[in-house]
Amino acid sequence: MKRTIFSVAVAATLSLGLTAAMAADPKKHGTTPGDRYEPSLNILGDQPMDQPGVKPGETPLGGAEFQKAKQIYFERCAGCHGVLRNGATGPALTTKVTKERGFEALRDFINFGSPGGMPNWGTSGDLTADDINLMARYLLEEPPQPPEFGLPEMKATWKVHVPVDQRPTKPMNDLDLDNLFSVTLRDSGEVALIDGGTKEIVKIIHTGYAVHISRISASGRYVFTIGRDAKINLIDLWMKEPTTVAEIKIGAEARSVETSKMKGWEDKYAIAGAYWPPQYVIMDGVTLEPKKIVSTRSMTYDTQEFHPEPRVAAIVASHYHPEFVVNVKETGHILMVNYEDIKNLKVTAIEAERFLHDGGFDASGRYFLVAANARNKVAVVDTKENKLVALIETGTKPHPGRGANFVHPKFGPVWATSHLGDETIALIGTDPEGHPDQAWKVVQVLEGQGGGSLFIKTHPKSKHIYVDTPLNPEAELASSVAVFNVDELGQKEPKYTVLPIGEWSGITEGVRRVVQGEYNKMGDEIWFSVWNARDQESAIVVVDDKTLTKKAVIRDKRLVTPTGKFNVFNTRNDVY
Ligand code: DHE
């Protein structure tokens, strides 16, 4: 019996395009947490959708079964295979493909996974045999289409709680606003505003579900948060108590928000990008009134084939033109969206690489470097000339966050990224004038603790580079960070110091994933989240940057699953 199942699995694996050698060893089909770092569209799974192709009275999958399968699909599968199953980083699962494969091949593929990246949902214990059976049947039916979200839907969710003329004209509190941190409390649908000096929680603000990032307006007055459920909160820091003054939902699933930073356009516009529907929206910067919605449905940059759902990944605001830099994942285009005249919108579409994800500026603020993580590359765009400057091969799955800028003792200014898929840290030269031979090349590869890294961080005043590894399967590595000294990078094999941040938190339960370092305004301390499950205790640990010792631990039962932290001054001024 065992043999029959396995041979079916092998056949399924082969039929999905893998080699016999890869397929033959099911032990290699395990999946690390890093491999699972793909979008989970769990909000979309909750949306009402009609079961396609099913006439009243005819339900090949019963109504409750359909609901369950849809939920599982959006949570676990849509990130790689696409909402409409046309494929993204994973292959297409249209009914044309799935009917050709057949029920058994699908079932076994879901169960065993593949070394090509498909998680082993069954043998890992994540899905039961019944779930897998259900999912194989679900894939044989036409995919349901989630609803669109245009201006009427956005306007229906748009609320201005405090009109602009009722807002203060100067700060009404004595908080040190520039050194405030906006901290995502992922699973409670909130952010905590924490004072950088006293380390006290100033306020907890209800937001969208699982806020992904906070960004700060050019004036430093407004914090924008975006939930996974595409809800934006506009928080006014000048109010007596920082408060949400406007909110809107711009779709069903989203990850990015930014505000205009060009001289003369400060606080004028905001922009947010959605995973579903595939679109971005330009809004008024102080009320969030939606002004212009632009769909990203278009052709891929390379094969020039239509893609029905290109998701919007990172967005940054240019300092050289009144433009937003919008990274479109599945088509591989970097869009320079000019907001000077949004009625006659000018968009420069730069061909870069597919599966753009996250990135940041170089130290000069002119070049934007973004990871095309499923292609192991970093794309560099010149935001002054609006041109692609380079596509650089780095390690496996680069994941920089916004990256880290510092001056290398041998190679001059560099920007660095760590990787999800290996232990390396790639340093890329960013100074075409002063160091032309090194510019846009990997000038050095450092070896860190291991794969599963999400974020790397330094500060212009610091000598240290911090590399987290929260998705490493080893709990010890997931709960510590590696620190390199910039002065020692000229040595043959630069060593790193390990900081046991999880242990320093004093929490003894859970994996204590240590994630995303963020400096204070002065650049003399760096904060890390100790991220545990929702029903466990989490914390923030503050490290003294000079001595690499524990400076403070913030433990508070209101700190539920803290992840991203955004210092007002550093975020607003792109200091990283
Ligand atoms: Fe993120 C940035 C998408 C999972 C914490 N994440 C980003 C950006 C994108 C993105 C597109 C860049 C936004 C920008 O700059 O405009 N993230 C995704 C995903 O699609 C993915 C893989 C799965 C998903 O379904 O969301 C994902 N991200 C996570 C997490 O699991 C993290 C660790 C915890 C969490 O809160 O969900 C996480 N992502 C972050 C953080 C940033 C981020 C903290 C901003 C880092 C920065 O320094 O700017």
Side-chain angles (χ1 to χ4, degrees):
M1 185 61 195
K2 228 178 182 173
R3 184 179 285 166
T4 323
I5 292 175
F6 182 57
S7 57
V8 174
V10 171
T13 309
L14 291 172
S15 69
L16 286 169
L18 298 158
T19 65
M22 285 154 93
D25 185 0
K27 285 200 251 19
K28 292 200 181 132
H29 294 199
T31 306
T32 64
D35 294 333
R36 289 188 181 189
Y37 189 71
E38 293 290 350
S40 162
L41 308 185
N42 52 340
I43 306 291
L44 212 47
D46 291 334
Q47 300 281 312
M49 286 174 223
D50 293 330
Q51 193 169 353
V54 180
K55 298 189 191 93
E58 247 186 54
T59 45
L61 271 189
E65 283 184 306
F66 171 75
Q67 291 308 328
K68 183 169 182 200
K70 168 170 83 73
Q71 190 71 40
I72 295 177
Y73 181 81
F74 283 110
E75 250 176 60
R76 316 253 187 173
C77 322
C80 291
H81 298 288
V83 170
L84 304 173
R85 306 213 313 244
N86 274 286
T89 48
L93 293 173
T94 53
T95 48
K96 187 166 177 286
V97 176
T98 57
K99 284 186 174 154
E100 230 173 81
R101 306 283 184 255
F103 169 80
E104 290 192 336
L106 294 170
R107 179 197 61 196
D108 294 325
F109 202 72
I110 300 169
N111 189 30
F112 292 108
S114 79
M118 170 76 176
N120 50 333
W121 295 114
T123 51
S124 65
D126 283 291
L127 294 180
T128 64
D130 285 350
D131 289 341
I132 290 174
N133 189 298
L134 174 67
M135 293 314 291
R137 287 160 59 217
Y138 177 79
L139 293 178
L140 291 165
E141 290 192 359
E142 290 300 325
Q145 163 97 29
E148 297 297 325
F149 213 84
L151 195 65
E153 289 82 11
M154 283 188 203
K155 283 236 163 129
T157 68
W158 175 46
K159 291 181 199 133
V160 178
H161 299 293
V162 184
V164 178
D165 59 6
Q166 289 170 30
R167 294 183 202 164
T169 51
K170 58 178 188 349
M172 300 304 286
N173 55 58
D174 51 12
L175 293 166
D176 179 3
L177 294 181
D178 261 356
N179 201 24
L180 209 59
F181 286 70
S182 175
V183 179
T184 295
L185 303 179
R186 192 185 182 286
D187 296 355
S188 66
E190 296 168 323
V191 292
L193 299 179
I194 305 184
D195 186 289
T198 63
K199 322 283 187 277
E200 268 164 25
I201 298 178
V202 171
K203 186 142 181 206
I204 302 276
I205 295 184
H206 292 282
T207 56
Y209 168 68
V211 158
H212 217 86
I213 59 168
S214 295
R215 294 287 185 245
I216 319 293
S217 73
S219 66
R221 169 176 186 169
Y222 292 110
V223 177
F224 294 77
T225 65
I226 183 131
R228 233 158 234 269
D229 55 359
K231 181 175 162 189
I232 303 175
N233 281 58
L234 176 67
I235 301 163
D236 185 355
L237 298 180
W238 283 10
M239 305 280 283
K240 197 150 185 282
E241 257 191 26
T243 308
T244 296
V245 290
E247 63 176 72
I248 191 169
K249 229 169 106 64
I250 57 104
E253 284 272 355
R255 303 289 183 275
S256 49
V257 68
E258 180 57 300
T259 101
S260 52
K261 289 193 177 159
M262 182 64 192
K263 223 167 171 244
W265 296 87
E266 293 91 345
D267 295 15
K268 175 99 176 104
Y269 286 120
I271 184 171
Y275 271 15
W276 187 270
Q279 61 195 26
Y280 57 88
V281 52
I282 299 174
M283 296 156 281
D284 182 280
V286 294
T287 65
L288 298 182
E289 180 182 1
K291 297 277 187 192
K292 181 100 183 173
I293 307 167
V294 184
S295 171
T296 52
R297 290 181 171 113
S298 61
M299 311 305 271
T300 53
Y301 89 94
D302 46 359
T303 57
Q304 305 201 27
E305 288 167 286
F306 181 70
H307 202 290
E309 48 170 307
R311 291 174 263 214
V312 177
I315 304 182
V316 294
S318 168
H319 303 283
Y320 281 84
H321 300 285
E323 288 180 344
F324 292 118
V325 183
V326 176
N327 295 273
V328 186
K329 215 183 246 289
E330 279 78 15
T331 63
H333 283 112
I334 299 177
L335 307 178
M336 312 300 282
V337 178
N338 190 301
Y339 49 75
E340 227 165 348
D341 177 6
I342 60 170
K343 286 220 176 291
N344 300 286
L345 196 72
K346 278 197 213 111
V347 178
T348 306
I350 299 175
E351 294 181 6
E353 184 53 285
R354 287 211 216 177
F355 311 116
L356 301 169
H357 190 75
D358 56 346
F361 284 107
D362 76 311
S364 75
R366 171 168 170 178
Y367 299 97
F368 175 68
L369 297 98
V370 55
N373 51 15
R375 290 279 163 92
N376 306 332
K377 291 201 175 104
V378 166
V380 188
V381 159
D382 179 350
T383 62
K384 187 174 173 198
E385 301 293 338
N386 282 0
K387 284 206 167 76
L388 183 78
V389 176
L391 266 181
I392 306 156
E393 185 106 31
T394 63
T396 311
K397 281 203 177 178
H399 193 287
R402 285 166 284 169
N405 286 295
F406 51 92
V407 181
H408 190 282
K410 264 196 190 157
F411 305 121
V414 295
W415 176 92
T417 181
S418 54
H419 294 85
L420 262 163
D422 65 37
E423 71 286 8
T424 66
I425 296 118
L427 314 190
I428 295 171
T430 58
D431 181 22
E433 268 157 36
H435 297 79
D437 293 345
Q438 279 80 32
W440 319 127
K441 289 181 192 139
V442 174
V443 293
Q444 187 172 13
V445 175
L446 305 174
E447 272 192 26
Q449 290 206 87
S453 175
L454 290 178
F455 302 106
I456 177 166
K457 196 50 78 77
T458 187
H459 186 279
K461 292 204 183 126
S462 171
K463 285 279 169 220
H464 293 129
I465 309 153
Y466 296 78
V467 184
D468 70 9
T469 33
L471 297 186
N472 193 290
E474 301 272 333
E476 206 179 314
L477 302 196
S479 76
S480 57
V481 297
V483 191
F484 290 89
N485 187 321
V486 175
D487 291 340
E488 293 168 10
L489 294 183
Q491 295 172 5
K492 213 164 167 233
E493 276 173 16
K495 298 265 176 301
Y496 56 82
T497 307
V498 175
L499 306 185
I501 306 275
E503 199 183 305
W504 284 356
S505 72
I507 295 171
T508 47
E509 63 180 344
V511 180
R512 304 176 301 191
R513 292 185 201 283
V514 171
V515 70
Q516 204 244 7
E518 176 78 355
Y519 275 87
N520 64 345
K521 180 187 171 189
M522 288 67 79
D524 58 8
E525 61 187 37
I526 179 164
W527 297 27
F528 286 95
S529 301
V530 178
W531 173 25
N532 256 335
R534 187 184 178 145
D535 55 355
Q536 296 168 328
E537 191 183 357
S538 291
I540 290 173
V541 170
V542 181
V543 175
D544 184 316
D545 181 63
K546 218 181 197 108
T547 57
L548 299 184
T549 53
K550 174 173 82 176
K551 188 167 176 184
V553 178
I554 310 175
R555 280 172 81 168
D556 187 303
K557 61 178 183 314
R558 293 172 292 172
L559 279 186
V560 180
T561 57
T563 52
K565 300 161 296 304
F566 303 89
N567 173 272
V568 166
F569 182 85
N570 293 336
T571 308
R572 154 193 177 201
N573 293 300
D574 294 320
V575 178
Y576 39 80

